Amino acid sequence: MTIEEVKQLQQLIETLKQENEDLKQQNADLVEQLAKLTRWVYGKRSEQIRSQQGDLLEDHGVFFNPEQTGKQSEPAAPAAKMEPKAKKTKATRQETLSDGMPTIEEIIPCEETVCPKGHDLTDAGKHFVREDVITIPRTRYRRRIFEAIKKCEPCSVEQDRGIFFQGHAPRPVIPHSLGSASAIAEVAYQKFCLDVPLYRQIDEWANDGAILSEATLSNWIIQAAKHLRPVWEQIHTHLLQLHFLQGDETPYQVIREPGRKAAQKSYIWVMRSTSRCREPAIYYQYAPSRSGDVAKELYTGFDGTVQIDGYSGYNKLLPDITRTGCWAHVRRKFFDAFKDVIDQQAIPIPLGYIDRMFFLERQSKTMTAEERYHFRQEQIAPFVTKFWRWIDGLTILPKGALGRAIKYALNQRQYLNRLLDYGEMDWSNNATERSVKRFVMGRKNWLSSTSPQGAEANAIFMTVIETVKANGLNVFNYLKTLLEKLPQLPDFATGAQYQAYLPWNIELDN
């Protein structure tokens, strides 16, 4: 065998070894994915850590229950030492009524007028028996609108023709439609607040004597959204003027998009104010893609600090924008990587550090932004340092889920560390995830939008409704007010005129 043949043989052996390693890694990844899928189908969904092993860290009292996300259950109180489980109390009924709920007293008359001896009975007060909640089904009725007509007799005689004057009915939400402001507000409330799809609302309308189709209700939403669009735009403008924002995005399916297949994914982008904003707002925008150009356009005009995840599309944000990360995203990846170890009652070190961060962060919720900044520098920063020291101390980057979790954390390192410098910003982006979840819950009932117009209308209504809810207003009353008053504005109304209808500026009737 020649030297050249030996070299070729050695090269072939090295190639086969590399292919073998690649196949082993691929097999390990597939086994990991299968285990993850099995846990997803049959296992628990909670990301809580329950372990008897409480001394893995230098600092005892590691917090085993992180800040809650949409996938987690309610947190339990942290403890340095695991106390014996208290006996579970029997569930009891909890029925309470708010003090502001209208109250009507009903007095059941006493039918007796005389006692058995024939003496007349006199009123002696009342005896309390019970209280309950009474429901009066909503009332729907047909409204026929006329304009009164008046005639000026002297002018009619003088000009030898009838001189008439008539009233001016307000503009409808949708011309030549049965949809009134209250009817459309009801449909929107059912769909976007109670997650009742349009096809299920049809039967209720039919029971009340209104035979409507799903296409009709869908058209009501799309046409009404045109009136709400200026308010939607004002909410976006309001957010861009803030100093701190949070953002995320979620897939959405639109069946009939021009030039695209029905199965292709579209996206709903979410932008919202932080929990400390006095005029909170939540903004949804439909886009046919997840391109970074969409993110760039969405945040154009903003020059503050935004909290987002590690999606590479956000790299296109303008340099004026300061990015911060989310420790909940980091924790979730480490939790998935250590899932099997956690089930065996072991506490992985990086999870212990992150959970301690969240435990301390919860103690600062009532602090001012400046107080929280100093608190983080003094109390949380040491655990951030320990977390990075643990990662930097690894001699070999693990493979699989743990390797991906470490790589994600390293890629987000500068953004995660910046949270120590901003007391106004939350330690996680869970608030935005909850806003995304509201759209996801609705999406499970709507399934999809037929057209881009429908997807955009959904984004407009969700923006208005979630912003109204964040400001503590009655959703139905707010929608009804807007759909009554916005059509009456001039065709070229100014932004200032629409600002008067933002939730923090408007006054609603009770």
Side-chain angles (χ1 to χ4, degrees):
M1 183 178 293
T2 64
I3 297 178
E4 185 65 27
E5 290 176 338
V6 171
K7 291 182 177 180
Q8 291 178 356
L9 182 59
Q10 290 177 341
Q11 185 177 4
L12 178 61
I13 292 174
E14 291 299 324
T15 302
L16 291 175
K17 286 183 178 179
Q18 184 61 43
E19 290 181 355
N20 184 51
E21 289 297 321
D22 293 341
L23 289 173
K24 285 182 178 179
Q25 184 59 45
Q26 183 180 4
N27 181 65
D29 290 342
L30 291 173
V31 170
E32 181 183 313
Q33 292 178 21
L34 178 60
K36 186 175 181 180
L37 178 62
T38 301
R39 288 195 299 267
W40 176 259
V41 176
Y42 301 107
K44 63 180 182 181
R45 303 292 179 86
S46 172
E47 292 179 9
Q48 276 191 6
I49 297 178
R50 297 181 178 85
S51 176
Q52 302 295 331
Q53 192 169 352
D55 56 353
L56 282 182
L57 302 180
E58 301 170 9
D59 189 308
H60 292 280
V62 174
F63 180 56
F64 302 124
N65 300 308
E67 183 166 327
Q68 297 298 294
T69 68
K71 295 182 179 180
Q72 296 170 317
S73 58
E74 291 298 321
K81 297 181 180 180
M82 297 298 294
E83 299 292 339
K85 288 187 177 180
K87 185 177 180 181
K88 188 175 181 181
T89 58
K90 185 177 180 180
T92 58
R93 293 189 306 169
Q94 292 186 354
E95 299 178 326
T96 58
L97 300 177
S98 65
D99 295 335
M101 190 174 188
T103 302
I104 297 178
E105 290 189 355
E106 180 179 349
I107 300 178
I108 308 301
C110 178
E111 297 181 353
E112 287 81 2
T113 58
V114 295
C115 72
K117 296 183 178 181
H119 303 148
D120 293 334
L121 301 181
T122 59
D123 294 333
K126 56 187 179 182
H127 166 67
F128 176 77
V129 179
R130 66 175 184 273
E131 69 176 4
D132 49 22
V133 179
I134 302 299
T135 298
I136 301 175
R138 59 181 178 273
T139 302
R140 293 192 175 106
Y141 60 89
R142 183 199 314 240
R143 180 176 65 175
R144 304 184 68 188
I145 302 175
F146 296 88
E147 293 178 337
I149 299 176
K150 294 184 178 181
K151 181 180 180 181
C152 179
E153 292 292 350
C155 290
S156 297
V157 173
E158 182 181 336
Q159 299 184 28
D160 196 23
R161 64 185 180 88
I163 304 299
F164 297 96
F165 299 87
Q166 68 182 57
H168 299 283
R171 294 180 185 177
V173 183
I174 307 172
H176 314 294
S177 171
L178 293 176
S180 65
S182 61
I184 298 174
E186 172 68 16
V187 172
Y189 179 80
Q190 290 283 333
K191 177 178 180 179
F192 298 107
C193 292
L194 303 183
D195 303 322
V196 181
L198 300 181
Y199 74 89
R200 286 172 52 192
Q201 296 188 40
I202 296 173
D203 293 338
E204 288 294 327
W205 284 92
N207 290 338
D208 294 333
I211 310 301
L212 305 172
S213 66
E214 183 179 352
T216 297
L217 298 187
S218 178
N219 183 65
W220 284 7
I221 295 295
I222 293 175
Q223 296 302 320
K226 295 179 180 179
H227 293 291
L228 299 181
R229 170 180 281 277
V231 176
W232 174 69
E233 294 172 346
Q234 288 298 322
I235 291 175
H236 186 210
T237 300
H238 166 72
L239 286 169
L240 295 178
Q241 294 171 350
L242 300 178
H243 297 295
F244 299 95
L245 293 178
Q246 297 171 304
D248 205 352
E249 72 288 329
T250 185
Y252 189 61
Q253 187 176 10
V254 181
I255 298 175
R256 298 176 185 171
E257 287 181 300
R260 307 185 74 209
K261 296 180 180 179
Q264 286 184 274
K265 287 184 180 179
S266 297
Y267 284 85
I268 295 294
W269 293 73
V270 184
M271 172 194 292
R272 63 162 293 145
S273 56
T274 61
S275 59
R276 293 172 176 261
C277 182
R278 294 183 178 181
E279 297 175 347
I282 304 170
Y283 177 81
Y284 298 84
Q285 178 173 305
Y286 152 77
S289 73
R290 201 188 181 195
S291 167
D293 293 331
V294 179
K296 180 179 179 181
E297 180 182 357
L298 181 64
Y299 288 91
T300 297
F302 177 67
D303 59 358
T305 303
V306 62
Q307 185 176 45
I308 45 183
D309 58 26
Y311 170 51
S312 59
Y314 290 112
N315 294 335
K316 287 194 174 184
L317 292 179
L318 297 177
D320 294 338
I321 298 177
T322 303
R323 287 179 57 178
T324 62
C326 169
W327 279 99
H329 279 79
V330 177
R331 184 193 184 278
R332 193 170 301 133
K333 293 183 181 298
F334 276 98
F335 181 89
D336 290 339
F338 287 116
K339 176 68 175 178
D340 294 333
V341 179
I342 294 173
D343 290 342
Q344 297 170 10
Q345 301 299 311
I347 306 171
I349 290 178
L351 274 178
Y353 289 141
I354 297 174
D355 285 354
R356 186 65 180 178
M357 297 177 203
F358 278 113
F359 167 57
L360 293 170
E361 176 65 20
R362 274 203 289 276
Q363 297 181 8
S364 68
K365 280 192 174 181
T366 59
M367 299 180 184
T368 64
E370 184 176 357
E371 290 172 341
R372 186 151 73 161
Y373 163 75
H374 292 293
F375 180 84
R376 286 179 178 176
Q377 295 292 328
E378 297 171 2
Q379 300 293 330
I380 300 181
F383 287 95
V384 175
T385 302
K386 290 180 181 181
F387 175 81
W388 295 124
R389 189 182 299 160
W390 178 85
I391 290 182
D392 294 336
L394 298 174
T395 56
I396 300 177
L397 182 65
K399 296 181 179 180
L402 180 57
R404 290 191 292 272
I406 294 173
K407 184 177 180 180
Y408 178 87
L410 288 172
N411 290 338
Q412 292 290 298
R413 187 170 188 162
Q414 61 174 323
Y415 307 130
L416 293 168
N417 288 343
R418 281 178 186 165
L419 288 173
L420 293 170
D421 301 328
Y422 296 100
E424 298 86 352
M425 194 67 72
D426 295 333
W427 198 247
S428 76
N429 201 19
N430 287 343
T432 312
E433 290 198 356
R434 287 191 290 270
S435 297
V436 169
K437 186 177 180 181
R438 275 299 312 143
F439 204 98
V440 171
M441 290 173 63
R443 184 183 63 196
K444 289 181 179 180
N445 291 281
W446 319 328
L447 301 180
S448 63
S449 289
T450 304
S451 65
Q453 292 78 13
E456 191 172 77
N458 287 345
I460 291 174
F461 266 98
M462 283 292 293
T463 296
V464 173
I465 289 174
E466 290 302 308
T467 301
V468 170
K469 289 163 63 176
N471 285 271
L473 301 181
N474 183 284
V475 174
F476 174 81
N477 289 345
Y478 183 83
L479 290 177
K480 179 175 176 291
T481 300
L482 259 59
L483 294 176
E484 286 175 344
K485 295 185 177 181
L486 292 180
Q488 316 312 318
L489 293 179
D491 294 335
F492 299 99
T494 64
Q497 288 176 288
Y498 286 111
Q499 287 179 7
Y501 293 96
L502 292 174
W504 44 87
N505 293 332
I506 198 172
E507 292 186 6
L508 300 178
D509 296 331
N510 294 329

